[in-house]
Amino acid sequence: MSAAEIAAAVRSKQRSAVEVLDEHLARVRDREAEIHAFNLVMEDQARADAAAIDRRVASGDDPGPLAGVPVALKDNFATRGVPTTCSSRILEGWCPPYDATVVERLRAAGAVIVGKTNLDEFAMGSSTENSAFGPTCNPHDTGRVPGGSSGGSAAAVAAGFSALSFGSDTGGSIRQPAAFCGVVGVKPTYGRVSRYGLVAFASSLDQIGPFTSTVEDAALSLEVISGHDPMDTTSIPEPVPSYREHLREGVEGVRVGLIREFFEAEGLSPDVERRTREAAAALEQAGAKVEEASAPSTIYGLSAYYLIAPAEASSNLARYDGVRYGLRVDAATTAEMNTKSRTAGFGAEVKRRIMLGTYALSAGYYDAYYGKAQRVRTLILRDFDRAYERFDVLLGPTAPSTAFAFGAKADPLAMYLNDVFTIPSNLSGHPAMSVPFGAGDDGLPVGVQVLAPPLQESMMLRVAAALEAAAA
Amino acid sequence: MPSISRDDVAHVARLARLELTDEELELFTSQLAAVLDHAADVEALDVADVPPTMHPYPLRNVTRPDEVRPSVDREEVLAQAPSAEDGRFKVPPILGEEP
Amino acid sequence: MTNALEGWEIVIGLEVHCELATQTKLFCGCPNLFGDEPNTNVCPVCLGLPGSLPVLNEKAVELAIRLGQALHCTVKPSVFARKNYFYPDMPKDYQVSQYDLPTNVDGYLDLPSGKRVGIERAHIEEDTGKNTHIGVSGRIHAAEYSLVDYNRAGIPLVEIVSRPDLRSADDAKEYVNELRAILLATGVSDAKMEEGSMRVDANVSVRRDGDAELGKRCEIKNLNSVRSLGRAIEYEAARQVDLITAGDRVHQQTRHWDEDAGRTREGRSKEEAEDYRYFPEPDLVPLDPEPDFLERIAASMPPLPSDRRARLAEAAGVEPTTMGVAVAVSRGLDDLARAAIDEKGDPARVLTHVEHNLAVEGAAAVEPGALAKLTRMEVDGALTATQAKTVLAELVENGGDPESIAKAKGFEAMDTSALESAIDDVIAANADVWAKYVAGNDKAVSALTGQVMKATKGQADGKAVNAIFQERRAASKG
Ligand SMILES: [Mg+2]
Ligand SMILES: [Zn+2]
């Protein structure tokens, strides 16, 4: 049952929120030990929340568009009084004194929060193997990674643990795991969804978005979480349209560009390429005008990203110093205490990125690394702007391959290369999403990526709905 | 740019308040060098005339009115502290002076 | 000490941090208050809790720009940056400040003495929390542990960086006093050095007279009053000159002023050079004030001390650098002085009274007409300077008409013949003192004048008495 169907049933008293929750919790009991999607299952709280929703419905109240919908949150969303770990030892046991704006909006819409999901530590990774609490397994093949960094959230929806889940996407952390787990994943326009309460990885790239089993649920989720937030300076003060309204209008006459550089990229596996071309053909069949597009600067995206994101991260993660919250390892002086706490609290990938970022910002290197990467960002934006003069949306693969096996990308650079198709949209701030489109030669899900100009989520979702229909 | 050296990595680790074992130092030096090598394509670009993009969505002059909002409860905050005393966060002696 | 500095020039630039007089902090809605219970004015933002984000206080921007305009700066589009370093009083382990693109640049400040001091920049940044060192002596190096209070973390500051245009401790003190007057006049800050809402660091170097190149400078911190600023500069300049004359050289470093010992002390040597890794703060967006916002601020600018000095000087027909003018403005008595001059008061005497006789509570409430009349009575010889002072004190206390007050006190001008005869009596009674005076001992005249004052019960005008004694001496010599 989709989130839209659940909410409709709960609002019309056809189903109770508690009953819906129990179904999902039963699946959690069944498979969670095997999958490890969650850092925390909030069974008691969720049951109390669901019962409260049912009481409201019974008393004639409308709890909102997500009434009784079980939702899972990536464990880097601040939840008041509930541990928020970022899958890091350094934050183990930390309970924020406040809720993220998105969490407030979900609750206000009637959602029932079932738990906090696993991630690569501080969202740094593409497989959830970097979690301090052990990896999440792909529900389609537990010998494979679910992708990352929002692997727990993707797996939760794929395994039916929750109807919806939410994650953050800094370089592909929603779209790539969505592709690997066979669900829909959306990274909205930067600034469309408030980041207040999302534990920062790279501030100018981070964006919150949903994982869903249908495109309609993605549209519904975005309607709930989008919109201006005075607590986030970078939040866009534009009204939120109804994303569901135009979802079924089809793609007749829609101009779709196939990003040449994505298809030419080395490392793109042939089965993923085939499925992506089939997706393009399906759109053409449905009346879209499909042509080749070019965004040549996107080939520099990966390099620029791995300078900008670590630089911002090195600063964002300085606050984990053992003074105010989280892990402290005692020492004779505060400076030594800082060092010992950070050394014990951060995993290898986080340390690697902190050092890379510190280096990129340090005296004598700023212009060559961070400064230059920000200029490359402009080139990528210009390429996209030019492409969108001719096209309504762009199309390409989400990830170079289907889900890989645990340990397959032990070399950091090999892992980073996984994000090559998702990163350009983070650098440009434009919306992009992954839609399941068939399977690879190994039988595992393939995701196709739809990219759109800023704030054009409606068109992006329309095209995604057409792909969903074609894949069915 | 010359590739990153072991000394660079050790210096950066100090700046970032991280302690590395000799093996980690070795490993991180080669791994960071590989990433920076990959970034050589960006380094080689002539983009002097291209302005940097700091924010993907161009906003400016975003401010809030000067109005008091409720602060958070001190006990709730201090309950999360590794160590506290007299309503304050307690830390070992601070030897370095403030820059 | 002054002798040792003969042939040397002291070069001083000041960095002044001021807390802005807002209701709330720079990036959150916590109250901007001094002296509250520790950690009661804190929230996720100013505690730097994971996930929190800053939102800029528009009033802080307005006040910073107001100050920039008062300092004749160019107000520029600006960008906030992160200054990265670890310190426990800084919740995020970076400070949000402005770096290469500050709000205010290239201004100046005119000192009452007439000197113009360049202002390099005046930028906005956030304050840090407060560490208290617990241990035997409460000093940092002997501490057993420290306690951190974040009430001050995130309070809006403006940092005003002067050009190295100051040349003496007096210059520096005058600059700080004038800056403080501007901050108060504009309502930008309450500028209390003792509460730390105004903090001054001094960059001091020395060079031989005539040298074009600047010497190596030391930054002096921990200056808690204008007085310690002056002392510290004098000490530090002498220390540097001593070093150089001894064949040594000055090392660029931070030094701390020790008020009790009356000396600066070397800061702890740093293991490595500072590397703050500044980069644009991605959680904030650029500031590019709209012209109408700038115009609104400019239109509501109150008169500044320098404007007020100029107006008063013009009214009094004196140079703006006249001491009485500066004092009148600094005491807020310039409106009174101008009004009194307007009402036909004697300008010189008005300024004299403001400078010497009105450093009291309630002085500003004196009726300008009464002050004017008082000075006219002096000009007319109806009151001596001493009597006028007494009448003025009564005017401050209870108001009234100076003429009636003078009458009530029995102040009547002595006519010249009465005064001359009193003087004759004093000369006769003190022949030995008179002889010394005639012989050239000028000091002897004060004893004689004292006797005249005594005899006339203070009604004699000291200046007139003096003049008569001089006249008599000349006559007796002739
Ligand atoms: Mg500063
Ligand atoms: Zn606050």
Side-chain angles (χ1 to χ4, degrees):
Chain A
M1 227 179 160
S2 75
E5 288 162 355
I6 292 171
V10 169
R11 286 163 113 177
S12 61
K13 300 185 195 172
Q14 285 170 310
R15 305 209 55 192
S16 81
V18 171
E19 191 185 308
V20 170
L21 175 69
D22 282 341
E23 268 176 28
H24 286 84
L25 289 176
R27 287 195 281 268
V28 172
R29 265 191 301 279
D30 236 30
R31 290 196 73 191
E32 170 62 2
E34 171 197 13
I35 290 173
H36 185 219
F38 289 101
N39 285 341
L40 176 73
V41 179
M42 298 155 63
E43 194 166 334
D44 295 343
Q45 185 61 52
R47 235 189 223 100
D49 290 348
I53 296 288
D54 286 334
R55 278 195 303 277
R56 285 180 62 188
V57 173
S59 73
D61 238 18
D62 179 6
L66 295 180
V69 175
V71 160
L73 303 174
K74 191 176 183 178
D75 202 14
N76 59 353
F77 290 29
T79 43
R80 182 163 188 180
V82 174
T84 299
T85 68
C86 296
S87 288
S88 181
R89 293 280 172 216
I90 211 153
L91 271 179
E92 208 171 350
W94 178 59
C95 293
Y98 76 109
D99 275 325
T101 297
V102 163
V103 174
E104 283 179 356
R105 289 191 179 178
L106 287 170
R107 284 193 207 282
V112 173
I113 294 166
V114 295
K116 307 286 296 279
T117 61
N118 196 16
L119 61 148
D120 285 296
E121 186 177 1
F122 282 103
M124 297 178 187
S126 308
S127 66
T128 68
E129 291 169 289
N130 296 331
S131 167
F133 311 133
T136 297
C137 301
N138 192 315
H140 295 274
D141 176 351
T142 52
R144 309 270 178 145
V145 304
S149 65
S150 313
S153 286
V157 170
F161 295 168
S162 65
L164 297 178
S165 69
F166 292 84
S168 60
D169 189 316
T170 306
S173 281
I174 291 173
R175 290 161 288 161
Q176 183 254 22
F180 280 15
C181 291
V183 297
V184 177
V186 184
K187 182 200 88 77
T189 307
Y190 181 84
R192 181 80 286 194
V193 178
S194 170
R195 291 183 296 120
Y196 190 74
L198 170 68
V199 179
F201 161 14
S203 311
S204 77
L205 304 165
D206 296 342
Q207 189 60 198
I208 287 175
F211 291 90
T212 61
S213 53
T214 67
V215 174
E216 186 191 16
D217 279 0
L220 169 63
S221 302
L222 284 183
E223 286 173 14
V224 169
I225 63 171
S226 299
H228 182 248
D229 178 12
M231 297 298 281
D232 177 357
T233 301
T234 60
S235 167
I236 297 173
E238 296 288 339
V240 178
S242 165
Y243 294 124
R244 282 174 294 176
E245 201 182 313
H246 305 286
L247 208 54
R248 305 284 171 226
E249 285 177 9
V251 290
E252 184 71 53
V254 171
R255 300 165 305 165
V256 177
L258 299 181
I259 307 170
R260 183 202 306 153
E261 291 76 12
F262 285 20
F263 287 94
E264 286 172 356
E266 66 176 289
L268 174 61
S269 68
D271 53 347
V272 172
E273 180 182 350
R274 213 161 41 239
R275 291 282 169 263
T276 314
R277 291 205 186 275
E278 284 167 17
L283 289 176
E284 201 155 25
Q285 197 109 64
K289 285 166 59 190
V290 180
E291 275 174 62
E292 191 172 78
S294 177
S297 300
T298 55
I299 61 166
Y300 300 112
L302 190 79
S303 295
Y305 175 87
Y306 276 98
L307 296 170
I308 295 168
E312 293 182 6
S314 71
S315 175
N316 285 329
L317 271 65
R319 70 191 68 192
Y320 306 103
D321 58 7
V323 173
R324 291 156 298 274
Y325 44 79
L327 180 74
R328 173 184 295 188
V329 177
D330 263 313
T333 69
T334 289
E336 285 168 32
M337 181 276 284
N338 296 154
T339 302
K340 290 202 181 307
S341 303
R342 292 166 62 77
T343 301
F346 290 135
E349 181 61 24
V350 172
K351 288 177 185 168
R352 206 155 26 235
R353 296 205 198 185
I354 288 175
M355 288 195 294
L356 183 56
T358 303
Y359 184 68
L361 289 176
S362 65
Y365 297 101
Y366 180 95
D367 290 335
Y369 290 132
Y370 186 78
K372 204 157 233 181
Q374 294 286 40
R375 293 172 201 274
V376 169
R377 213 168 165 174
T378 308
L379 295 181
I380 291 173
L381 263 165
R382 287 178 181 170
D383 279 2
F384 276 133
D385 285 347
R386 216 168 293 130
Y388 287 126
E389 286 170 12
R390 288 179 51 211
F391 299 103
D392 299 307
V393 296
L394 299 174
L395 198 76
T398 303
S401 68
T402 55
F404 49 85
F406 287 104
K409 313 269 178 186
D411 171 44
L413 192 56
M415 185 70 88
Y416 299 169
L417 285 165
N418 234 272
D419 301 329
V420 66
F421 304 136
T422 45
I423 276 171
S425 305
N426 296 90
L427 291 170
S428 69
H430 295 172
M433 66 186 288
S434 182
V435 203
F437 200 86
D441 294 346
D442 49 13
L444 290 167
V446 168
V448 170
Q449 195 181 190
V450 185
L451 300 81
L455 298 179
Q456 297 306 306
E457 279 85 356
S458 273
M459 176 56 85
M460 179 178 80
L461 288 159
R462 233 171 94 187
V463 173
L467 286 172
E468 183 181 50
Chain B
M1 284 280 158
S3 193
I4 190 167
S5 72
R6 211 184 134 99
D7 284 351
D8 290 336
V9 175
H11 168 75
V12 160
R14 266 197 308 281
L15 271 178
R17 301 239 159 135
L18 292 170
E19 214 162 46
L20 300 183
T21 63
D22 281 351
E23 297 82 69
E24 282 174 325
L25 192 53
E26 205 63 56
L27 180 66
F28 284 170
T29 304
S30 69
Q31 288 175 336
L32 295 189
V35 177
L36 292 170
D37 272 356
H38 188 273
D41 58 348
V42 162
E43 229 191 288
L45 279 178
D46 181 11
V47 285
D49 299 335
V50 180
T53 295
M54 300 303 176
H55 296 87
Y57 197 89
L59 294 168
R60 57 194 191 116
N61 296 333
V62 179
T63 57
R64 62 176 178 87
D66 185 25
E67 284 160 12
V68 174
R69 290 170 55 99
S71 294
V72 295
D73 178 51
R74 179 168 76 178
E75 301 324 310
E76 191 175 353
V77 168
L78 289 178
Q80 298 294 318
S83 182
E85 185 177 301
D86 287 342
R88 287 172 290 183
F89 296 85
K90 185 175 173 181
V91 294
I94 302 165
L95 286 192
E97 32 181 84
E98 186 136 26
Chain C
M1 197 172 261
T2 24
N3 284 343
L5 290 176
E6 195 74 51
W8 293 83
E9 184 176 47
I10 315 178
V11 178
I12 306 153
L14 296 181
E15 288 172 24
V16 180
H17 288 82
C18 290
E19 290 182 355
L20 296 171
T22 55
Q23 296 299 307
T24 65
K25 293 188 179 182
L26 185 54
F27 298 122
C28 65
C30 290
N32 172 1
L33 287 174
F34 175 78
D36 279 0
E37 277 291 299
N39 293 309
T40 51
N41 300 329
V42 294
C43 74
V45 177
C46 58
L47 282 171
L49 295 188
S52 66
L53 294 171
V55 186
L56 183 61
N57 183 340
E58 73 180 350
K59 183 74 180 177
V61 176
E62 183 193 321
L63 292 176
I65 291 175
R66 181 181 297 284
L67 177 65
Q69 290 178 346
L71 295 174
H72 313 279
C73 290
T74 308
V75 178
K76 292 259 218 178
S78 56
V79 168
F80 284 94
R82 293 187 186 175
K83 179 182 184 180
N84 295 285
Y85 63 94
F86 285 89
Y87 211 69
D89 63 8
M90 213 167 43
K92 304 180 292 293
D93 288 299
Y94 58 79
Q95 181 195 32
V96 179
S97 180
Q98 294 178 327
Y99 180 51
D100 50 351
L101 297 169
T103 295
N104 303 302
V105 297
D106 277 336
Y108 62 85
L109 179 154
D110 285 332
L111 297 182
S113 62
K115 188 179 184 108
R116 176 162 290 187
V117 183
I119 302 292
E120 189 181 309
R121 55 191 283 153
H123 68 255
I124 307 168
E125 63 183 28
E126 57 179 339
D127 209 344
T128 59
K130 221 172 159 61
N131 299 325
T132 308
H133 308 294
I134 310 293
V136 235
S137 63
R139 293 182 53 168
I140 189 164
H141 294 302
E144 286 162 37
Y145 58 94
S146 296
L147 296 176
V148 196
D149 168 17
Y150 294 106
N151 279 349
R152 201 181 67 180
I155 300 270
L157 295 176
V158 64
E159 179 177 340
I160 306 136
V161 181
S162 86
R163 297 201 185 278
D165 291 346
L166 301 159
R167 290 291 176 271
S168 69
D170 285 343
D171 271 5
K173 288 178 357 191
E174 199 185 354
Y175 170 87
V176 170
N177 285 327
E178 179 66 8
L179 181 58
R180 193 167 169 271
I182 292 170
L183 289 162
L184 292 175
T186 50
V188 167
S189 173
D190 65 5
K192 291 181 182 157
M193 270 183 99
E194 57 296 353
E195 283 185 9
S197 68
M198 179 169 180
R199 304 192 283 273
V200 181
D201 299 333
N203 285 303
V204 178
S205 66
V206 297
R207 63 180 170 192
R208 287 182 202 277
D209 282 343
D211 275 5
E213 215 169 300
L214 290 173
K216 276 259 182 295
R217 65 190 156 91
C218 291
E219 184 178 11
I220 312 172
K221 290 183 177 280
N222 196 32
L223 301 166
N224 296 319
S225 65
V226 175
R227 187 172 163 264
S228 43
L229 167 69
R231 289 179 67 201
I233 288 170
E234 272 163 10
Y235 174 88
E236 179 61 20
R239 187 189 70 86
Q240 292 182 13
V241 168
D242 283 352
L243 268 180
I244 300 168
T245 19
D248 222 329
R249 54 190 199 89
V250 176
H251 297 270
Q252 190 157 331
Q253 61 185 192
T254 301
R255 298 183 66 87
H256 298 262
W257 174 245
D258 182 334
E259 181 73 30
D260 297 330
R263 53 165 298 186
T264 61
R265 292 184 193 283
E266 186 175 348
R268 248 169 61 97
S269 66
K270 280 152 191 157
E271 283 155 47
E272 39 199 291
E274 305 295 354
D275 186 347
Y276 294 124
R277 290 157 282 134
Y278 283 100
F279 73 105
E281 162 60 295
D283 289 328
L284 294 167
V285 299
L287 260 184
D288 188 2
E290 304 287 345
D292 67 321
F293 182 62
L294 297 179
E295 278 158 30
R296 249 191 354 261
I297 298 173
S300 64
M301 183 73 72
L304 297 173
S306 57
D307 305 330
R308 287 161 55 190
R309 286 194 297 270
R311 280 174 72 190
L312 176 56
E314 198 190 334
V318 298
E319 286 298 310
T321 51
T322 308
M323 183 61 86
V325 169
V327 173
V329 169
S330 74
R331 296 210 179 121
L333 297 175
D334 48 324
D335 283 346
L336 167 64
R338 270 189 295 105
I341 292 167
D342 238 31
E343 301 204 28
K344 310 240 166 354
D346 174 63
R349 283 185 166 76
V350 166
L351 290 182
T352 302
H353 284 308
V354 165
E355 186 180 348
H356 298 294
N357 306 329
L358 282 174
V360 291
E361 189 106 11
V366 167
E367 277 296 320
L371 178 57
K373 188 169 179 184
L374 181 77
T375 60
R376 284 198 305 272
M377 289 167 71
E378 290 178 81
V379 173
D380 297 344
L383 282 177
T384 67
T386 319
Q387 290 168 338
K389 193 172 163 179
T390 310
V391 172
L392 186 55
E394 177 66 22
L395 282 175
V396 171
E397 195 75 14
N398 299 311
D401 171 46
E403 208 172 333
S404 333
I405 297 169
K407 197 165 275 169
K409 297 214 180 274
F411 294 161
E412 275 167 62
M414 296 189 71
D415 63 50
T416 316
S417 63
L419 182 57
E420 301 243 354
S421 81
I423 284 174
D424 288 339
D425 293 350
V426 167
I427 289 174
N430 301 278
D432 49 340
V433 185
W434 175 246
K436 279 184 196 161
Y437 177 61
V438 173
N441 182 349
D442 283 349
K443 282 181 186 161
V445 82
S446 59
L448 296 168
T449 307
Q451 291 295 323
V452 176
M453 286 302 180
K454 203 172 158 190
T456 60
K457 298 196 174 68
Q459 282 188 36
D461 181 353
K463 270 189 198 151
V465 173
N466 224 320
I468 295 171
F469 276 130
Q470 278 180 31
E471 232 168 70
R472 296 285 170 89
R473 174 163 74 175
S476 73
K477 277 182 174 167

